[in-house]
Amino acid sequence: MIELQNFSKRYGDFTAVENLTLRIGPGELFGFIGPNGAGKSTTIRFLVTLLKATSGQGFVAGFSVGRQPMDVRRSIGYMPDAFGVYDGMKVWEFLDFFAAAYQIPHARRRTIINDVMELLDIGGKRDEQVSSLSRGMTQRLCLAKTLVHDPPVLILDEPTSGLDPRARLEIKALLRELRNMGKTILIASHILTELADCCTSIGILERGKLLLHGPIDDVYRRIQSNRRVEIRFVAVQESNNQQRGIAILRRQPGFVDLQIDGPKVTAEIAADEAALATIVDEFAAEGVRFHSFADLDPTLEDVFMLVTKGAVN
Amino acid sequence: MANPVLQRELVANLRSPRAFALQAAFLLLLGALVAMAWPSAPRLTLANPEPARRLVDLFFIGQFLLASLTAPVFAAGALTGEKERKTYELLLASALRPAQIVWGKWAAALLPSVLLIVSTLPIVVLCLPLGGVSLYEVLAAYTALLAALACFSLFSLLCSAHFTRTTAALVTSYFCILPPALVGVALWQLLGEWSSGVRLALFLGVLPALSAGACVLFFVLTSRKLWYPSDIGSEGRDIVDEQQELREAVGLVISRDEFPDRLFAPAKRTDLLPDDANPVLDKELRSELFSQGTLMPRVVIQISLLLAVPLMGACLYLIPIFAPWYLAYVLLFNMLTAPVFTAGSVSGERERRTLDLLLVTTLRPGTILWGKLFSGLRVSSVLTMFLMWPVALACVLVPEYYANLPTFAGMLAVVAVTCIVSSVVSLFCSVSFQKSYVSLTAAYLALGCLYLLPPAADYFARTYLSETPAASAVHTAAAASPFSAVFAFPLEVKNPNDPNPNAPKLIRPADWPLVAGYFAAQAILVLLLLAFIQRTFRNRYDAAGG
């Protein structure tokens, strides 16, 4: 649905994005991750036909970004990272304006406007001035605007920045709903927690280069060469319970590293599930007592920190 | 203790080479004008100091008008700029008292203009040996200049505190400053011919005192406005309630549902846009142009009508041969008004970050540009044409004009063309610049150069370089200005001071080559600018921001 082939953007000597190749399939919710200044917005602005590529090409819904910009615009709903609203307009007028701008016939517009307002839960604000809306409501209104022409692709640049936790959760739920409706969604964000549980695939960009991309489970698997186990030992001072447990961990053949945080010990071990069971057996055999033994899944933060070096353009 | 606001503003100004470049250019220009106008006779007759007096008058009036134009440029954006940059709240929440803030902003806005004016003193002193002008008159002129400048700056600062956008503050300042500035020029000229003693007393005593009183009043009002401003919080957005504004309005109100107001301010829509509508045009006309309230347009309309009444009486009825002067006023009004409604149309979208939203729709660049151009053109044309009603009325009521109807039709055509040119130039500036404030200032500068400079140069050349090839070339260039064009139409009226019905008529001769040149030049200019705008916008459309 979205494809980039060797996309590069240079401003004089400065390279914002270099040879970016990426493919996002239909119905995916793709999280575009990267530190500020990594080139996410540049890539997005190219995809929404607002920026010319220095080299390379892009396709959205089968249309060439460079050669068929009007078809691309018809196929996308775009929400920029920073946007404003028109003064002196009511909520319904704002949506009507954009519906008319996408040449939606008058006869269909009323139904569409009502539908998107209902979907975004802003029907109660219908007759309010857009400039009087709160930040969260304005984000919803802009999201509603991106849907008025029912585009198959949504491109959302930091859609939850500046929102309170409740509004973030609501937007996340909405994104899932939109994905269930069959939309392909590209969402750029540096708030990883909000992407982790709703994205189907991710791409990590740093200094204009795509470091890693693919389905989110694949990405986890690819970066997870070692397991991380978290053990909470019972605090029994006189028997050196925790020290004995740590000694068992250290003598494992695949032991890499461990971190001690009070009674909680996190160990990085190259081990399969059988090896983990052996560790539990050894704890039992030597009388090491623990509250919990957990095989930790990697988080998106772990992936991000592992893949990136914190460098930005 | 130093005022941190003043320090910051001065450091910001002095860091840029613009201030020095402007000052150097201004002094060079004045110096060149004085050198060109310097009497060429090998011997100067001090008994007939008329040329010297004329030169010094020209010098002061030019400076006075320039000071009136530059004072708002420096001051009108002082507080609205803070609001637009979202630093206003930080400033107000600091330990600085409102009076300190106002003082700092005022002094910072005033100093560049004061420096500009004081630095011209050596050039004036050079003219003193020519005779005809005393040191006291120079002193009076400079006192009046500085007093007016201080007063105009502070008034612009008051507008800046009141409005949320720089463009509204700038335009309101200009319209309020224009009448006293014109009265000042007229007084200087008239009193100079009548009694230089009275002129000295007025400009050295009365005017500075009046100015000081006004300054105190404006200072207090501006400081009070900063105590509990309504336009902070929620990102500085102040929602304008039109009904409340109508109830509280002093003088004229704008009723969107009634004629003639609906010509320029159509009623808000209550239903969806029709299929064949241009959404941009509809949005601009019904929602955007008056989204900041109607105070600014009300001020503009009331002041323009206030000035129009005496001008109409004098130029159209009492002294009919002066009819082109009234038309010149209408042109000046359009020159001031058109940029207000067009110069921010594209740059405003950039500032509010709505341009990207608009550009990713399937609207064609032509549709967007036409909507932007036509909405601004419609409002400024309707407002300008309000001032043409007295001309139409005079054509009916004054028998002297019956034989001159083709001339008035031609003048009407000049006004109509001016409306188009002013809007196109303003749109060009709006497309070319990122910020509305810069775009508006650039539009005024461009229109000033296009409309005022040619006739001013023509007057200067006729006065000081008469019968030279340069004068002829300058006269040809005057075809670029509508002000020159309205004076180029023939006018033949009875002398109102001569009761004899057979007395020879007063005749203003026709200059048809200039009229033809005017229409041709404007047509070429409009086509070129539209082509450039379309090309620039298409590029931006394809590659906004990159």
Side-chain angles (χ1 to χ4, degrees):
Chain A
M1 210 53 159
I2 299 175
E3 195 175 347
L4 284 164
Q5 295 173 354
N6 299 315
F7 164 63
S8 294
K9 180 66 190 176
R10 279 186 284 279
Y11 299 96
D13 294 336
F14 170 73
T15 302
V17 180
E18 192 176 355
N19 279 331
L20 178 57
T21 297
L22 180 68
R23 193 176 176 283
I24 302 170
E28 277 191 49
L29 203 164
F30 183 86
F32 206 25
I33 305 167
N36 291 329
K40 302 188 297 290
S41 292
T42 300
T43 308
I44 283 179
R45 287 175 68 75
F46 166 67
L47 284 173
V48 299
T49 74
L50 292 177
L51 195 73
K52 271 184 180 156
T54 306
S55 63
Q57 50 184 337
F59 297 91
V60 175
F63 300 111
S64 163
V65 174
R67 290 190 301 275
Q68 298 163 289
M70 294 306 272
D71 294 310
V72 170
R73 282 169 199 163
R74 240 171 247 123
S75 309
I76 55 166
Y78 171 51
M79 182 169 170
D81 58 340
F83 62 89
V85 287
Y86 294 119
D87 297 329
M89 266 189 178
K90 291 179 179 171
V91 167
W92 71 267
E93 285 180 297
F94 186 79
L95 294 175
D96 179 42
F97 168 74
F98 279 103
Y102 282 104
Q103 283 102 41
I104 295 169
H106 179 274
R108 284 178 50 213
R109 237 181 285 149
R110 190 180 306 279
T111 317
I112 289 172
I113 290 171
N114 288 339
D115 287 350
V116 292
M117 283 204 286
E118 191 184 336
L119 181 69
L120 273 297
D121 199 19
I122 51 173
K125 304 279 180 187
R126 183 188 170 86
D127 289 315
E128 287 197 16
Q129 293 283 331
V130 289
S131 45
S132 71
L133 296 180
S134 67
R135 179 75 183 263
M137 276 295 160
T138 310
Q139 300 276 101
R140 276 168 183 268
L141 179 65
C142 193
L143 202 50
K145 177 229 83 120
T146 65
L147 297 172
V148 286
H149 57 300
D150 194 22
V153 178
L154 296 179
I155 297 180
L156 315 173
D157 197 355
E158 308 281 359
T160 58
S161 67
L163 295 185
D164 62 47
R166 176 179 288 276
R168 274 187 190 177
L169 287 172
E170 286 170 354
I171 294 274
K172 254 162 52 174
L174 198 67
L175 290 175
R176 282 196 208 97
E177 199 174 332
L178 290 169
R179 185 164 65 87
N180 293 337
M181 289 163 66
K183 308 275 184 207
T184 304
I185 305 170
L186 186 155
I187 171 169
S189 181
H190 55 255
I191 304 169
L192 304 178
T193 47
E194 75 185 18
L195 293 178
D197 52 348
C198 66
C199 288
T200 54
S201 53
I202 59 164
I204 298 177
L205 196 68
E206 188 178 46
R207 295 182 70 117
K209 289 182 181 161
L210 191 65
L211 303 179
L212 185 72
H213 80 286
I216 198 156
D217 294 335
D218 278 4
V219 168
Y220 285 156
R221 263 197 297 277
R222 270 154 53 193
I223 68 138
Q224 190 182 26
S225 54
N226 300 323
R227 282 179 185 272
R228 284 195 315 143
V229 287
E230 184 187 282
I231 307 130
R232 284 178 180 272
F233 292 101
V234 175
V236 188
Q237 286 294 334
E238 61 274 18
S239 63
N240 290 328
N241 184 54
Q242 186 165 342
Q243 278 71 21
R244 286 189 291 119
I246 289 170
I248 292 170
L249 290 171
R250 285 188 190 279
R251 68 173 182 246
Q252 297 302 313
F255 173 81
V256 178
D257 194 16
L258 63 75
Q259 287 171 333
I260 304 166
D261 182 10
K264 186 177 82 178
V265 174
T266 308
E268 195 179 335
I269 302 170
D272 56 13
E273 286 187 2
L276 292 185
T278 307
I279 295 172
V280 176
D281 289 345
E282 284 183 35
F283 283 165
E286 295 190 22
V288 175
R289 295 162 65 194
F290 56 90
H291 290 297
S292 63
F293 185 103
D295 181 10
L296 296 179
D297 284 331
T299 63
L300 203 49
E301 277 97 340
D302 296 329
V303 175
F304 185 75
M305 294 308 286
L306 200 71
V307 171
T308 65
K309 298 175 179 66
V312 291
N313 268 322
Chain B
M1 199 177 115
N3 184 317
V5 176
L6 178 60
Q7 270 182 342
R8 195 204 74 83
E9 299 276 337
L10 287 181
V11 167
N13 285 340
L14 293 174
R15 268 186 192 152
S16 85
R18 233 177 3 187
F20 296 103
L22 182 72
Q23 185 138 17
F26 181 63
L27 289 177
L28 279 174
L29 178 73
L30 277 186
L33 287 178
V34 171
M36 278 193 279
W38 196 263
S40 53
R43 285 185 185 192
L44 294 173
T45 316
L46 294 181
N48 177 26
E50 194 49 38
R53 179 177 285 278
R54 220 164 43 190
L55 178 63
V56 174
D57 276 349
L58 181 79
F59 191 84
F60 281 131
I61 289 170
Q63 277 212 80
F64 182 71
L65 289 177
L66 200 74
S68 310
L69 291 174
T70 54
V73 171
F74 290 114
L79 291 169
T80 48
E82 300 271 356
K83 293 174 196 176
E84 285 162 352
R85 289 192 302 269
K86 311 260 164 69
T87 51
Y88 190 48
E89 223 164 320
L90 302 178
L91 185 65
L92 295 185
S94 71
L96 290 168
R97 296 176 68 80
Q100 280 178 288
I101 297 171
V102 175
W103 168 251
K105 291 284 183 187
W106 182 36
L110 199 57
L111 278 176
S113 306
V114 170
L115 208 60
L116 213 62
I117 284 172
V118 172
S119 62
T120 61
L121 199 57
I123 299 176
V124 176
V125 172
L126 272 179
C127 300
L128 287 180
L130 295 175
V133 183
S134 73
L135 194 61
Y136 294 112
E137 279 178 304
V138 172
L139 190 66
Y142 270 92
T143 308
L145 264 173
L146 294 175
L149 192 63
C151 190
F152 293 163
S153 282
L154 204 45
F155 180 77
S156 300
L157 199 61
L158 175 62
C159 291
S160 192
H162 187 88
F163 290 98
T164 48
R165 290 199 189 159
T166 305
T167 46
L170 187 63
V171 170
T172 309
S173 305
Y174 273 141
F175 271 89
C176 293
I177 285 170
L178 186 66
L182 292 178
V183 168
V185 171
L187 273 179
W188 178 263
Q189 283 289 86
L190 290 174
L191 290 178
E193 286 165 19
W194 181 55
S195 160
S196 60
V198 174
R199 182 163 85 169
L200 273 181
L202 188 73
F203 281 83
L204 268 176
V206 179
L207 190 78
L210 279 177
S211 173
C215 282
V216 170
L217 178 69
F218 296 152
F219 192 94
V220 171
L221 288 176
T222 313
S223 302
R224 275 176 56 180
K225 184 78 190 158
L226 262 58
W227 270 114
Y228 297 107
S230 58
D231 45 4
I232 59 163
S234 186
E235 298 185 358
R237 289 177 300 200
D238 193 17
I239 310 300
V240 177
D241 181 349
E242 273 192 34
Q243 294 304 317
Q244 187 187 352
E245 207 181 54
L246 276 179
R247 283 193 301 274
E248 293 172 356
V250 177
L252 177 137
V253 292
I254 293 175
S255 306
R256 286 166 173 264
D257 299 327
E258 291 170 17
F259 182 83
D261 298 2
R262 66 176 179 220
L263 288 175
F264 65 92
K268 297 283 285 178
R269 256 184 325 111
T270 53
D271 198 10
L272 304 178
L273 279 159
D275 277 338
D276 57 349
N278 178 337
V280 177
L281 174 61
D282 187 89
K283 165 181 84 78
E284 297 283 328
L285 276 176
R286 292 180 198 271
S287 303
E288 291 249 66
L289 288 171
F290 300 105
S291 62
Q292 295 296 301
T294 57
L295 177 60
M296 189 261 288
R298 280 190 285 122
V299 167
V300 166
I301 294 169
Q302 291 183 97
I303 291 178
S304 65
L305 290 176
L306 186 76
L307 277 174
V309 171
L311 275 171
M312 174 184 70
C315 302
L316 294 178
Y317 293 95
L318 294 177
I319 319 168
I321 196 72
F322 278 5
W325 284 102
Y326 181 78
L327 270 297
Y329 168 69
V330 177
L331 293 172
L332 182 69
F333 174 78
N334 180 263
M335 187 186 136
L336 289 173
T337 316
V340 179
F341 298 104
T342 315
S345 57
V346 177
S347 52
E349 296 250 12
R350 283 197 201 101
E351 285 172 336
R352 282 174 296 151
R353 294 172 183 264
T354 50
L355 191 61
D356 282 1
L357 300 182
L358 192 61
L359 290 181
V360 293
T361 65
T362 48
L363 290 171
R364 299 267 166 198
T367 311
I368 298 175
L369 283 174
W370 175 246
K372 298 273 179 198
L373 177 64
F374 188 72
S375 55
L377 178 62
R378 173 169 158 166
V379 179
S380 61
S381 303
V382 170
L383 292 180
T384 305
M385 289 303 169
F386 279 171
L387 298 178
M388 287 301 284
W389 282 110
V391 179
L393 198 66
C395 285
V396 176
L397 296 179
V398 182
E400 285 300 304
Y401 290 148
Y402 293 167
N404 294 292
L405 287 181
T407 286
F408 283 102
M411 288 175 175
L412 179 66
V414 170
V415 173
V417 168
T418 304
C419 290
I420 297 170
V421 175
S422 302
S423 292
V424 172
V425 168
S426 304
L427 184 65
F428 171 76
C429 292
S430 192
V431 170
S432 307
F433 295 97
Q434 295 289 320
K435 299 208 166 180
S436 297
Y437 176 53
V438 180
S439 162
L440 185 72
T441 311
Y444 280 136
L445 195 65
L447 291 177
C449 289
L450 189 66
Y451 292 175
L452 299 176
L453 209 57
D458 192 27
Y459 172 77
F460 185 84
R462 271 188 287 117
T463 309
Y464 297 106
L465 311 167
S466 58
E467 293 171 17
T468 61
S472 160
V474 169
H475 182 68
T476 308
S481 166
F483 289 95
S484 303
V486 288
F487 283 91
F489 284 98
L491 192 64
E492 195 174 315
V493 292
K494 207 175 71 175
N495 187 347
N497 298 325
D498 195 338
N500 181 4
N502 297 322
K505 288 192 166 184
L506 295 174
I507 295 173
R508 193 180 282 281
D511 188 347
W512 292 118
L514 195 143
V515 172
Y518 167 75
F519 285 112
Q522 303 305 300
I524 293 168
L525 179 71
V526 167
L527 288 176
L528 281 176
L529 287 181
L530 284 177
F532 191 88
I533 290 169
Q534 177 83 4
R535 187 177 156 273
T536 310
F537 204 72
R538 187 179 287 279
N539 288 342
R540 285 176 187 277
Y541 191 60
D542 288 340

